[in-house]
Amino acid sequence: NSSSDGSGNKVPVRGTLFFVHGGAWGAGHPWMYRLVAPAFLARNFAVAIVGYRTYPDSVNIDVQVDDIRSAFDELEDVLNECVVPVADDAMDREAAGTIDDNDNGWVGNIMMGHSSGAHIALLLFVNMLSERMKSSSSSQLAGKECNQYPWSLPHYFVGLSGPYDISDHFDFEAGRGVEQISPMKPICGYTRLNFDRASPAKRLLTNLASFREQVDSADSTNQTMQQITPPMLLVHGIEDPVVPFTATSDAARKLKSCGLTDCHEIYLEKTEHQEVIMQFMMGGPAMDAVFDWLRGQRRHQNAIGRDGGRKVKLQSRL
């Protein structure tokens, strides 16, 4: 509704935000995160705040991933009916030196999640990459750009304060004395083997190993991953007591080892777990950093990449 002008005409938008809420896999509702939308609506994005069945209504993590996949597929149909990508002459204006921070051209589709929502969204993202990897060869993918598929694929992935390695996070929860009451243990399958299967980077590694056996070339696999993977950004507060910031640094390292080299990290000093998402609702460094990163991507510059893909907004006290 936010992208409809009421006349039945399709509304031009700069892109979409597909946001997956958190809540420790067992709580949370989309309406609780509705204040994430205004910052994107103000920038002429269509916004979907997505819900899913939580534990115990959802019996395992793949059910939650399937729920948001269904929402993503349904959203594609809705967008095709209601909106159209805004006309974009950014390449011409960039060459002329006239593109600036107030540019209103096409950005793309952003898949974003916070906390457990970032974990679930990244699992979906990995599943999508694995599907594309299996169905396409490097020669078929060469030269293709994500914007050839306006709504069917994310052009960016943004993870906020996510616990991406379930086995590591189980140990962290055990250190806090909450591992037996947290929904994470049952939703992710109780055992270390299932924890690994529910961890996005480890799932991707398994899928890559299978793909390499088929193509018999690690170089071909890495080249394919680099071609099919959109830019990724992982954001974390340095002083997060719920999910340690090392969850993001470890995930980024593992993802890059899989060939996802366009993966960036931003760490925010004096920022805890809920503050990251609150800064999207009320304004703050986390939101500013993500929009700055998107502007850098749009200008075809890798501003974060100049310092090795890492950026600390402020000096950490740790």
Side-chain angles (χ1 to χ4, degrees):
N1 291 336
S2 61
S3 295
S4 174
D5 63 2
S7 65
N9 296 325
K10 291 186 178 181
V11 176
V13 296
R14 301 184 64 199
T16 65
L17 173 68
F18 182 86
F19 180 82
V20 184
H21 72 77
W25 301 273
H29 300 280
W31 65 264
M32 297 177 177
Y33 294 81
R34 63 193 184 278
L35 290 181
V36 172
F40 289 88
L41 293 173
R43 291 167 172 81
N44 198 25
F45 281 76
V47 178
I49 311 294
V50 181
Y52 50 90
R53 285 171 288 180
T54 55
Y55 183 81
D57 294 327
S58 174
V59 296
N60 61 57
I61 191 65
D62 286 320
V63 171
Q64 296 185 335
V65 175
D66 288 344
D67 283 350
I68 65 168
R69 179 59 184 265
S70 296
F72 191 90
D73 293 343
E74 178 69 19
L75 180 63
E76 181 182 357
D77 294 336
V78 173
L79 292 171
N80 282 328
E81 293 179 3
C82 298
V83 300
V84 64
V86 68
D88 189 7
D89 60 349
M91 294 293 288
D92 294 336
R93 285 181 292 106
E94 183 183 28
T98 58
I99 190 169
D100 59 26
D101 288 348
N102 296 318
D103 174 63
N104 292 315
W106 171 254
V107 176
N109 306 319
I110 305 166
M111 179 178 288
M112 184 168 77
H114 175 251
S115 191
S116 58
H119 166 252
I120 299 167
L122 187 54
L123 277 176
L124 174 58
F125 187 76
V126 164
N127 288 352
M128 288 177 162
L129 291 180
S130 300
E131 291 168 6
R132 292 193 69 197
M133 183 172 59
K134 292 176 182 177
S135 63
S136 304
S137 67
S138 295
S139 59
Q140 290 172 319
L141 287 165
K144 283 193 174 182
E145 298 291 339
C146 283
N147 59 15
Q148 290 179 285
Y149 310 91
W151 313 121
S152 61
L153 293 170
H155 303 111
Y156 304 97
F157 179 88
V158 178
L160 309 174
S161 309
Y164 305 111
D165 189 301
I166 299 303
S167 190
D168 286 352
H169 196 62
F170 177 81
D171 293 338
F172 181 77
E173 288 194 339
R176 297 173 60 211
V178 299
E179 79 281 7
Q180 298 301 332
I181 61 175
S182 169
M184 187 191 74
K185 181 179 177 180
I187 201 73
C188 292
Y190 293 98
T191 68
R192 294 285 182 176
L193 179 60
N194 287 333
F195 289 171
D196 287 348
R197 290 171 177 165
S199 301
K202 292 179 178 177
R203 178 177 293 193
L204 183 59
L205 279 171
T206 300
N207 294 341
L208 282 173
S210 175
F211 184 70
R212 282 170 179 161
E213 291 176 0
Q214 298 174 23
V215 301
D216 196 30
S217 171
D219 291 339
S220 176
T221 302
N222 289 338
Q223 181 183 8
T224 301
M225 289 305 300
Q226 291 171 8
Q227 289 175 329
I228 67 176
T229 306
M232 302 177 64
L233 175 64
L234 304 179
V235 181
H236 218 115
I238 289 286
E239 298 184 15
D240 189 329
V242 179
V243 180
F245 73 89
T246 51
T248 280
S249 59
D250 289 345
R253 174 177 54 81
K254 293 171 184 174
L255 291 168
K256 290 173 185 176
S257 74
C258 294
L260 279 65
T261 53
D262 203 0
C263 178
H264 312 289
E265 308 150 61
I266 292 178
Y267 300 95
L268 304 168
E269 192 207 24
K270 299 181 182 179
T271 305
E272 298 190 7
H273 190 71
Q274 293 299 333
E275 286 179 297
V276 172
I277 193 62
M278 289 299 296
Q279 289 173 10
F280 272 87
M281 297 180 179
M282 311 303 293
M287 183 184 74
D288 294 341
V290 169
F291 282 122
D292 285 346
W293 179 78
L294 288 169
R295 277 192 290 268
Q297 293 295 317
R298 177 165 167 70
R299 291 173 176 176
H300 308 283
Q301 298 173 355
N302 198 344
I304 299 175
R306 294 196 193 106
D307 57 344
R310 293 169 180 260
K311 183 177 181 182
V312 179
K313 290 291 290 183
L314 297 170
Q315 183 63 40
S316 172
R317 292 184 299 170
L318 301 182

